[in-house]
Amino acid sequence: MRRASRIDAVEPFLAMEVLERALELEAGGARVVHLEIGEPDFAPPRGAVAACVRALEAGETRYTDSRGLRELRVAISEDHERRHGVAVDPDRILVTNGTSAAMLLVFSLLVEPGDEVIIPTPHYPCYPNFVRVCGGIPVFVPSVAEEGFRIDVPGVRRALGTRTAAIVIGSPSNPTGAVQDAATVGALADLGVPLVSDEIYDGLVYDGAVVSSALGLGGDVFVLDGFSKRYAMTGFRLGYVIAPAPAARPLQVLQQNLFISANRFVQHAGIAALRTGAATVAAMREAYAKRRERLVEGLRRLGFGVPRLPQGAFYAFADARAFDVDSRRLAFDLLERAHVAVTPGIDFGAAGEGHLRFCYAAAEADLDAAIERLARVLA
Ligand SMILES: Cc1ncc(COP(=O)(O)O)c(C=O)c1O
């Protein structure tokens, strides 16, 4: 069977490959410590679960307006204003089946075959693959590792060309935990090409770090966000995009065709999360802040390089070159020998090679067990 060539360019998501091998080991009786997947171990806000069940029982099981329930879009708009002080017209908000679906819609809208999309790296592994699925070409600009993975704005400026369709950034960052300051985000928003700003980890920040939303900082900005991380609602599959006004209608038309609408009862869960989920977010933030220190301290003891504490999200991106320069080999070796699942840095681009990503959205006992097991095999 002939396959579209742009699909051949899509690379495996290594975090998932590690997970899938770990599941095989578990099926054979092993007990694996999972630090590979970016998934909170917290329960979603109780109000969100209750609202979802109530909605199902009340027969809220049909399609909605393709843009999402008005009540949810108003709640998202109020939430964005509460967090960032920027008012958003709910008509610029489109509710999607997870942030991933929002990404597909936005890149489908912006990218012509042969267009380039600039991606500061290390980056979320799926960004370049969304670009490739749309026929585009990712262009990577390494962030400044010595400065806590600050995005290199002059480097991004140098990478701009006649075929640049967009710049995509994530802050707080998966995998580095870096939080970009307002000057950096503002400079990127002002470069004359659309800025796609993935803000899915906003709210999960430590030591007083502040996330600067790209919205309101100038230029054409698309904010991607969702409920997976901040509200521990990964399996609900609920996200959204806040788009420039002229892009709202074409995104709506794409959504009508590609997905019709996000799940109706899940949208009710989203409304409840925004209204009642603040305590869950605060509890997660507090727990992650402690786990982050515990994990990083353990990694440093073992000889991994973690020069700074991550400021946001729930990952430690550790330099592992003292053990192996090939992160893929090292991650699979640690999985087989120590039954500790972590993500190879190469999943996040060439700039991530030599590193491993450890997710600390895991119980403290699991973090301790991981360090103990790693100590044994790395000794
Ligand atoms: C930076 C980033 N963006 C987007 C996503 C996808 O999120 P969703 O579950 O909303 O599709 C993830 C998931 O790991 C992520 O880390």
Side-chain angles (χ1 to χ4, degrees), residues 92 186 188-195 214-222 244:
R92 291 173 49 198
L188 294 167
D190 258 344
L191 289 176
V193 292
L195 177 65
L215 212 65
L217 293 184
D220 286 333
V221 166
F222 293 78

Side-chain angles (χ1 to χ4, degrees), residues 13 37-39 97-103 124-127 130 170 172-175 198-201 224-229 233-235 237-240 314-315 357:
F13 192 174
I37 293 295
E39 186 155 43
N97 296 315
T99 311
S100 306
M103 254 178 244
Y124 175 56
C126 304
Y127 295 148
F130 278 105
S173 157
N174 172 8
D198 183 347
E199 300 177 8
I200 192 169
Y201 292 99
L224 302 173
D225 207 337
F227 294 76
S228 287
K229 316 293 176 173
M233 286 169 62
T234 43
R237 312 305 305 127
L238 190 62
Y240 54 90
F314 38 58
Y315 308 105
R357 187 195 72 174

